[in-house]
Amino acid sequence: MPGICWYPAKRTACTVNQGGTADRVVLYFGTYSSLTENILLSGAFFLCAGARKENIHVYMDTTRFCGRRSMTCYGQNDGARKGARRVWKRERTGKSDTAHFKTEVIIMETTMQTAMTTEKIPYKIYLDENEMPKAWYNLRADMKQKPAPLLNPATHRPVQAEELAGVFCEELTAQELDHDTAFFEIPEEIRNFYKMYRPSPLVRAYCLEEKLDTPAKIYYKFEGNNTSGSHKLNSAIAQAYYAKKQGLKGVTTETGAGQWGTALSMACSYFGLDCKVYMVKCSYEQKPFRREVMRTYGASVTPSPSMETRVGRKINAEYPGTTGSLGCAISEAVEKAVSSEGYRYVLGSVLNQVFLHQSVIGLETKAALDKYGVKPDIIIGCAGGGSNLGGLIAPFMGEKLRGERDYRIIAVEPASCPSLTRGVYAYDFCDTGMVCPLAKMYTLGSGFMPSADHAGGLRFHGMSSVLSQLYDDGLMEAVSVQQADVFQAAEDFARVEGILPAPESAHAILAAVSEAKKCRETGEEKTILFGLTGTGYFDLAAYGKFHSGEMHSVIPTDEDIARSLAQLPKVQ
């Protein structure tokens, strides 16, 4: 429910109530549509405040929602309405003779939030199906500094839609290049599919809080409640839908840990499309059961780099014995798509279109928190290519960009592949084979070969261009963590919260626990939100190595990174 604060009229007699009398003054913080739909049309809600509807005056502040001030006063007492409006205008112009009014607004908002949270927040907060987002949110529309455009690697000029037509689906290309449209309607077919596993729960981590003995309040958005085991299905079903709508035979893709490949195989099976997956070789070998789930849904799965594509053969020749990377797998999938009639390439992370589809995570999260008047202080997510973190933070970062509210946002990446914390902000290829357009992003160089880290979904040399721009603008932070510490955090979390997390998700858990421990030391009651992107039931081999003491973090040296960065394309 939106923020409501009821006050006896006499408390504000010298402000809102100058023009007449009222039983209650209502201070409302939220959107106009929420006000009309959720309050004005509910007489019972008014009566519960102990006042007649016609004797209630409403002061509404929409500053944080749409960047402008507006005031609406409802009631049958015309004098009261005029008086309230006069006070509001004086406040807006700075000519008010009620200097304490703005201070009271702050006090009232704080009191309102406290009142709304007196009811114990449930362990799991579920939205109703009718509360699910009906449109994806395009964060780029609110960015003052837009992400740099993709460049044609041959001409170094911005890529045009027709140049991407042979690689991506038409509708996805339009979404990729659109920096200005704030919302894209989610097609009904996709919304119906979402209902199989969405809305996903927002969990209050009471058990973890108690275990840590921290005053911090910890929430996590759990995206592992579907067969793919992760958030990846949110974008997979969208991309498969547009491929089917275009009349294609099938799609090709890459996958790291296997969640994206699993999600896409499910989506393609649903729409009757062929699905060809190139899986990072170390994950292909570490996670045979993930591979079999993909095959169950009809996908063909090939370890990458392979010998069936030109770029795969080249990479194997240059890096004998390599365990692969997402960059390698992307190169092979793109080559397969452009050389196969009726096929297009789809990507599970990094791209703007994926960032857009994953905004459903953050939109649901914010709606659930708003029901209880909860505002996170810190938002944390693991970062490989950036899709889940971007999706989680989207509506919150939107508020930050519009100057409506501030949040501390932290990206967590593996120390074995530290693109944000040790990379450079430059144009680079998104793939190792150098067949994709150039993207400006934080990168370790497309030739960087990370060690065989068990967080396969985070083993990408670059980062989303949107997140890269936000990070470069100082709007978010980044930390890198080591593999053994990540698995320790994962095990501790599983023992108190009952969910075995994916290694990728455990990066966010580790950072959230670290922030909660800081609160224990300082006594601060901060609210921490993190993304639990998936489950780790196909990662038991990695857990086994951790338990047997065989897990070690291989951190690249400065020389390793410098050699890779020396190969960056020269873009003026």
Side-chain angles (χ1 to χ4, degrees), residues 233-479:
L233 196 53
N234 301 329
S235 184
I237 191 62
Q239 297 192 54
Y241 166 79
Y242 291 118
K244 181 68 173 181
K245 185 179 177 182
Q246 192 172 323
L248 300 177
K249 296 177 183 177
V251 295
T252 69
T253 196
E254 82 299 325
T255 193
Q259 288 100 329
W260 167 248
T262 304
L264 188 64
S265 65
M266 291 175 64
C268 286
S269 175
Y270 184 78
F271 284 117
L273 294 168
D274 185 35
C275 182
K276 300 183 185 300
V277 180
Y278 289 85
M279 188 174 186
V280 175
K281 185 178 291 184
C282 69
S283 293
Y284 183 93
E285 296 168 349
Q286 292 169 356
K287 304 174 184 180
F289 297 128
R290 177 73 72 180
R291 181 180 71 223
E292 293 313 312
V293 174
M294 289 183 252
R295 287 176 173 162
T296 297
Y297 282 97
S300 64
V301 188
T302 304
S304 175
S306 72
M307 298 303 288
E308 69 175 43
T309 65
R310 180 194 58 78
V311 70
R313 293 189 291 272
K314 179 182 177 184
I315 292 170
N316 275 313
E318 292 180 1
Y319 303 96
T322 179
T323 56
S325 71
L326 279 171
C328 296
I330 290 172
S331 296
E332 291 203 89
V334 170
E335 180 182 326
K336 189 67 174 179
V338 298
S339 61
S340 304
E341 184 179 355
Y343 283 76
R344 293 294 186 276
Y345 167 69
V346 295
L347 182 62
S349 190
V350 184
L351 295 177
N352 297 330
Q353 57 190 268
V354 182
F355 199 116
L356 174 72
H357 305 151
Q358 295 296 354
S359 67
V360 69
I361 302 172
L363 292 169
E364 281 188 7
T365 302
K366 191 172 187 308
L369 290 173
D370 285 349
K371 276 193 166 186
Y372 292 89
V374 177
K375 303 296 181 184
D377 299 296
I378 306 170
I379 306 172
I380 300 170
C382 61
S387 67
N388 94 85
L389 175 62
L392 177 65
I393 71 172
F396 303 99
M397 181 62 81
E399 288 188 326
K400 185 168 183 172
L401 289 167
R402 296 189 298 269
E404 298 165 6
R405 186 173 288 273
D406 194 20
Y407 301 97
R408 184 180 169 211
I409 296 172
I410 306 173
V412 192
E413 60 184 6
S416 61
C417 197
S419 55
L420 286 172
T421 52
R422 295 179 65 190
V424 298
Y425 190 37
Y427 269 106
D428 194 11
F429 289 95
C430 292
D431 64 309
T432 304
M434 302 182 183
V435 298
C436 289
L438 300 174
K440 190 172 184 183
M441 58 185 176
Y442 273 87
T443 179
L444 297 167
S446 63
F448 178 78
M449 287 291 173
S451 63
D453 194 295
H454 289 284
L458 306 183
R459 299 175 71 251
F460 180 59
H461 65 274
M463 183 58 62
S464 153
S465 61
V466 173
L467 291 184
S468 293
Q469 184 67 62
L470 294 171
Y471 181 64
D472 196 62
D473 289 341
L475 293 165
M476 53 181 282
E477 307 169 27
V479 296

Side-chain angles (χ1 to χ4, degrees), residues 138 140 147-150 159 164 168-179 184 239 347 349-357 430 439 465-466:
N138 182 8
R140 290 167 285 163
L150 294 172
V159 169
L164 296 176
F168 300 130
C169 300
E170 294 169 1
E171 185 64 32
L172 295 172
T173 296
Q175 294 175 2
E176 183 67 27
L177 300 178
D178 190 333
H179 290 348
F184 286 80
Q239 297 192 54
L347 182 62
S349 190
V350 184
L351 295 177
N352 297 330
Q353 57 190 268
V354 182
F355 199 116
L356 174 72
H357 305 151
C430 292
S465 61
V466 173

Side-chain angles (χ1 to χ4, degrees), residues 163-227:
E163 296 177 83
L164 296 176
V167 180
F168 300 130
C169 300
E170 294 169 1
E171 185 64 32
L172 295 172
T173 296
Q175 294 175 2
E176 183 67 27
L177 300 178
D178 190 333
H179 290 348
D180 302 313
T181 302
F183 291 94
F184 286 80
E185 182 180 356
I186 304 174
E188 184 178 3
E189 294 91 333
I190 297 175
R191 294 204 309 271
N192 289 338
F193 187 92
Y194 278 169
K195 290 176 183 177
M196 294 185 194
Y197 65 100
R198 307 205 71 84
S200 64
L202 177 68
V203 184
R204 173 71 183 273
Y206 285 113
C207 298
L208 182 60
E209 292 172 15
E210 182 179 358
K211 181 71 174 180
L212 296 174
D213 190 24
T214 178
K217 299 175 179 62
I218 306 173
Y219 295 82
Y220 58 89
K221 181 67 165 172
F222 179 48
E223 289 291 309
N225 55 343
N226 64 79
T227 302

Side-chain angles (χ1 to χ4, degrees), residues 450-568:
S451 63
D453 194 295
H454 289 284
L458 306 183
R459 299 175 71 251
F460 180 59
H461 65 274
M463 183 58 62
S464 153
S465 61
V466 173
L467 291 184
S468 293
Q469 184 67 62
L470 294 171
Y471 181 64
D472 196 62
D473 289 341
L475 293 165
M476 53 181 282
E477 307 169 27
V479 296
S480 64
V481 292
Q482 296 193 27
Q483 188 170 217
D485 296 331
V486 167
F487 274 84
Q488 183 63 63
E491 181 180 274
D492 293 343
F493 180 84
R495 291 181 178 183
V496 296
E497 285 293 320
I499 297 173
L500 186 71
E504 294 81 6
S505 308
H507 285 67
I509 293 172
L510 177 59
V513 167
S514 176
E515 292 298 327
K517 288 179 177 178
K518 291 177 185 177
C519 290
R520 183 177 64 196
E521 300 301 318
T522 63
E524 295 176 282
E525 295 185 7
K526 292 185 177 180
T527 298
I528 301 168
L529 166 67
F530 71 90
L532 183 57
T533 56
T535 55
Y537 303 115
F538 289 110
D539 299 283
L540 293 177
Y543 276 95
K545 287 193 174 183
F546 171 70
H547 293 144
S548 62
E550 300 174 18
M551 182 171 288
H552 306 286
S553 295
V554 179
I555 302 174
T557 65
D558 291 341
E559 291 74 19
D560 292 334
I561 295 174
R563 277 195 300 271
S564 180
L565 291 176
Q567 304 303 313
L568 286 176

